[in-house]
Amino acid sequence: MASRGRARGRAGRGAPAPGGGSNGGAAAGPVGGGATAAPAPRGRGRGRGAAAVSDTPPTEQLAGMNIQAPAGVRERGNRFATPLFRPENVKDTRGNTGQKIDLLTNYFEINVRDNKPLYQYHVDFNPVVKADSVKLRKALVHRIECLRNRHLFDGMILYCPDRLNETEFVVQKKEGDRVTISMKLTQEVTTSSDQFIQLVNIIFNQIADRHMGLDRIRRDYFNPGKAVVISQHKVELWPGYEFSIRKYSHGVLLGLDVKHKIVRTDTVLSAMNQMVSSGRGGQQENIRRELMGAIVITKYNNKTYRIDDVIFNLSPKDVVQLRSGPISYVDYYKNNYNLTIRDLNQPLLLSIVKTKDPGTGERTEKQIHLVPEVCYMTGLTDAMRSNFRVMQDLAQYTKQDPEKKKRTLEEFRQTVESSTEARDLLQSWGLEVSPAILELDGRKLKPEQILMKNGQPFPCDARKESFDNITRKNFVIQSVDINNDYLIICTSRDVTHSNTFKDTCAKVGPACGINIQANGKVVSINSDRANDFIEAIRSNVTSNTKIVICLVPNDRKDRYDAIKKHCCIEQPIPSQVLVTKNLQPKKAMSVVTKVVLQMNAKLGGELWSINIPMQGVMFVGIDTYHDSGSNKSVGGFVASMNNACTRYFSKTTWQESKQELISQLQTCTREALQQYRKLNNAFPQRVIIFRDGVGDGQLLAVKEIELESIKKALHELPQMPNLVFTVVTKRIQQRFFQKQGNRLNNPGPGSIVDTKVTSDALFDFYLVPQSVGQGTVTPTHYNVLAFETNLQPDHLQQIAFKLCHVYFNWTGTIRVPAVCQYAHKLAFLVGNHLNKDPSPQLANYLYYL
């Protein structure tokens, strides 16, 4: 079913902090009244709003890095720093199993001339220039001849590539007043420091912004002037780049990836009008539900905002209080952007942005009101994602094969090199970009074998690592005797589809070793209302009914939610919801085969397995789901209960909205251990945990909170089991291209990289688990926070690849270990559909598939 929740990553972040007020919207006080801050001045100003600080900058900040991120970027400390997370007992993090392969990656080396340090100075003004007058302070420093175009200054701390011979300068204000600027050397910034890396990032941001004609949107750079308009789908594709400079085991590297910003050509107002014309009841609540959490862009300044609410009691005719006096939103947009607001009765959008005081560092929230008529939707709707034609047309531009991607990366470097200003800027700081992307060695693991009934092994397709034909033609490991003990509920007009479903089940089930017959009970209802489905379930489920199948005419979320809530909470029983259009003659056989396998898995059956040569291991997957329409986030916890990795225990937890960390892991782990002992007559000897959905900035908290909570539960056992805790990240920048003769191709499934683009401060590696038919394959990053075991890095790499084969919803490898994907499916079902803990009676079933 379609998801309403926001995906993790960039779309999940709040709107960027406005420059000079609201950045094109109107910053507001409490809705419905109160003073409002001034909207942003026109243009692409980088200034910040006024800060209530003392005239003298706080001296305790001088010792640390204080360069501000450019306006529009949410600061989260130094995101380029890499704290030491490598387990102390691990000396060598590299493996050696597999065949050596030659790779290229999307990284350029950054060479630093003579490893020369940079110099940090504290700047004083006499007479005093207030610390919150950042713009004036920068303008005055810019007038120092020897520093022009050779410094970085945030209003308090200055960096330059050379040590200053003079430290006192006299400059003149526009009014003619003279100001003495004194500079005190506070430290030398070495090339190995995190401060140096952050400074290099700022320099490259300046190059992209000032010398390449790119516009910054959040952390990426795009070129709206080269937008590709796909008129038939009402979208534009803005080409651009994502880049960052970090220190890796090979040195300082520039990571670069091609990005595309999807901007819809319809405004938010037109989207709202379409919602109203659809005729669904509760128009205001429907609009709120559809828009909250969405990211919009204002094209007059290319800034993005997250919609936090729709304010229906405000309109563009309302007045906002500026420093220069009151003004209506209509007049504000006309005066500042020459935009004419035509619909004077439209509501306003509310975006809550977080800003950081440049003097005190204190974070505050500011409310910004936006006019829907001048805001454009970004990203794809669920309907667009499910439209094959839309995705196919977009893929022509967004999915570049390795050869084309390499050329695009090299074009970026050539553009920098061909700009005299960019080249001079790099040379002045002693920086040079290598002419070619980085080469490195990788290893490819052997293809796995899939185990079917009686342990019979079948080799996977070596190129795609898929096994669809294997599961279709061979018996599952363990089947549930469904027979005729299933209940189908459908509307009277879909009875024909129910017969098709039953007959097809009876054909494909026995071929897979699953006993399901064609005489299951069918209950016909008069309408497709959710209540009618619920009442039919309540009245017709008996003690013999093993599973409920609801055939529905479309994928309406409210009906799906109601069915799942009833079957997972009120009347616990495995359930399957199937849209009838998937039972058309051309699709029926393929679809029903997958449904029958899924039904068997939901009832506790075991479909296939993989050879994992270890006994007494409990694998755990953890993930978190955030629903934009809820004030709670859901944590999913799934643990394997047998050596074959075919049976699982699950539990959910709740935490505050958008909170990624799970606070109840001690309880979850304790219950999983007890269930493991109940089924195996012993506690596990090893616990191997894969934690999905954690950003780099949360690693320390995960290690200190989540990992410690799990250890507390393990310490309660008579003997502490071996523990491995690994953070799994899918949204990464790294890409790898395999050299095969004169061509570049995607590395095959099972490819491992653990050199050069890994970090000396981490125990990490990259795994390519899948193949892709189009574009460039994305590897998965594994970062090991605990390795209290006698296993070797090789073993963990192989285990991770093996576990990508045992997700019962897909007859092939997936991007993460199966326990992670099960945890995601669980958290998504509970957070997006149930909004309440499922019945404990279902804890040992894969009901969330």
Side-chain angles (χ1 to χ4, degrees), residues 760-781:
D760 289 334
L762 305 176
F763 173 7
D764 64 330
F765 62 90
Y766 301 88
L767 166 65
V768 176
Q770 297 175 296
S771 66
V772 293
Q774 192 176 16
T776 308
V777 69
T778 302
T780 302
H781 183 239

Side-chain angles (χ1 to χ4, degrees), residues 824-845:
H824 168 73
K825 293 287 286 187
L826 171 65
F828 176 78
L829 173 68
V830 175
N832 192 48
H833 300 295
L834 305 186
N835 302 123
K836 189 177 179 182
D837 281 327
S839 169
Q841 296 179 38
L842 298 174
N844 293 313
Y845 297 95

Side-chain angles (χ1 to χ4, degrees), residues 79-98:
R79 65 187 177 94
F80 307 105
T82 306
L84 182 61
F85 286 115
R86 178 190 288 197
E88 294 180 359
N89 61 312
V90 178
K91 303 305 178 186
D92 186 3
T93 64
R94 299 181 183 182
N96 50 40
T97 299

Side-chain angles (χ1 to χ4, degrees), residues 573-749:
I573 185 172
S575 60
Q576 190 79 32
V577 180
L578 183 62
V579 180
T580 52
K581 70 178 181 181
N582 292 320
L583 293 174
Q584 300 298 329
K586 290 183 178 180
K587 294 183 178 180
M589 188 69 73
S590 173
V591 169
V592 174
T593 299
K594 294 175 182 177
V595 170
V596 168
L597 289 172
Q598 196 176 88
M599 289 166 58
N600 187 70
K602 287 184 176 183
L603 290 168
E606 303 173 24
L607 303 186
W608 63 81
S609 184
I610 207 86
N611 179 36
I612 301 177
M614 289 192 300
Q615 301 295 312
V617 185
M618 184 174 80
F619 296 102
V620 177
I622 304 171
D623 198 5
T624 309
Y625 173 77
H626 309 293
D627 186 354
S628 60
S630 170
N631 60 357
K632 293 286 186 180
S633 294
V634 183
F637 180 99
V638 174
S640 65
M641 292 287 111
N642 62 351
N643 292 323
C645 248
T646 55
R647 304 188 69 86
Y648 298 90
F649 167 85
S650 64
K651 188 174 177 63
T652 54
T653 70
W654 296 83
Q655 50 266 1
E656 293 303 315
S657 178
K658 312 303 178 288
Q659 179 182 319
E660 189 67 50
L661 299 181
I662 299 176
S663 58
Q664 304 167 44
L665 283 181
Q666 184 175 357
T667 301
C668 294
T669 306
R670 183 187 296 124
E671 292 187 22
L673 291 169
Q674 293 299 331
Q675 184 66 20
Y676 187 97
R677 182 188 186 188
K678 180 179 178 181
L679 296 175
N680 297 278
N681 297 317
F683 288 114
Q685 301 167 25
R686 293 187 178 96
V687 176
I688 299 178
I689 299 170
F690 295 96
R691 174 64 159 103
D692 200 355
V694 177
D696 289 347
Q698 298 169 312
L699 288 176
L700 182 60
V702 167
K703 185 174 183 178
E704 293 180 346
I705 298 174
E706 292 191 348
L707 181 55
E708 289 305 312
S709 296
I710 292 169
K711 285 183 176 181
K712 287 179 182 178
L714 298 180
H715 279 298
E716 296 172 2
L717 302 185
Q719 183 176 354
M720 173 81 172
N722 292 347
L723 173 64
V724 177
F725 188 101
T726 304
V727 171
V728 182
T729 309
K730 302 184 294 293
R731 297 176 182 272
I732 60 174
Q733 186 184 54
Q734 287 80 2
R735 300 292 185 271
F736 302 112
F737 322 125
Q738 184 172 356
K739 294 194 292 183
Q740 295 180 317
N742 294 325
R743 286 195 55 79
L744 292 180
N745 292 308
N746 284 309

